[in-house]
Amino acid sequence: DHRDLHSFPTRRSSDLGGPKTEIKSPLPGIVLKIFVRTGEYVDKNQRLFSLEAMKMENEIKAERAGVIAGIRISEGQSVLQDEVIMEMD
C-alpha cells in the first residue's frame, strides 16, 4: 500500500526568533528515501522523503516552496513521531 501525506506537522522556528520551518515526521518509522539535498529549492507539494510506517510507504511532501536549509537524518534511519527531519528557509 502507498499513500501520500500532504499535510504534516511543521513549526516555524521564526516564532522562536529564527526564519526556518522544521519539517517533522508525521509518524514513527524508517526513512526509506530522501528526495532532496541541502541547498535545493523545492516547490509546494514536492516530495521530500519517504517513510515506512505501519508497513506502509508514506511520501512526505513540502507544505510550501522554499530552500532546504538542513537535513538531520539519513536513509535507513528510524525516526520518532514529530522528530525534526529537515529544515526549510
Side-chain angles (χ1 to χ4, degrees):
D1 247 345
H2 182 274
R3 63 183 173 151
D4 292 334
L5 298 178
H6 294 283
S7 181
F8 53 92
T10 61
R11 182 186 56 160
R12 289 184 185 272
S13 51
S14 58
D15 299 339
L16 306 172
K20 297 186 184 357
T21 297
E22 292 179 336
I23 300 166
K24 298 181 179 184
S25 177
L27 302 162
I30 298 172
V31 175
L32 297 176
K33 178 82 176 150
I34 300 170
F35 300 108
V36 295
R37 285 178 266 147
T38 299
E40 182 177 345
Y41 176 83
V42 296
D43 291 314
K44 182 177 180 177
N45 293 323
Q46 182 173 332
R47 296 183 309 172
L48 300 176
F49 62 98
S50 63
L51 180 72
E52 181 182 313
M54 298 179 287
K55 301 193 182 204
M56 294 177 64
E57 183 176 343
N58 303 278
E59 284 193 348
I60 311 306
K61 297 182 178 184
E63 285 188 334
R64 65 174 180 85
V67 176
I68 301 300
I71 299 174
R72 297 189 183 181
I73 48 84
S74 56
E75 292 177 1
Q77 183 175 333
S78 293
V79 295
L80 302 173
Q81 182 172 353
D82 294 329
E83 184 171 343
V84 176
I85 305 300
M86 49 186 74
E87 296 173 326
M88 182 186 293
D89 284 330

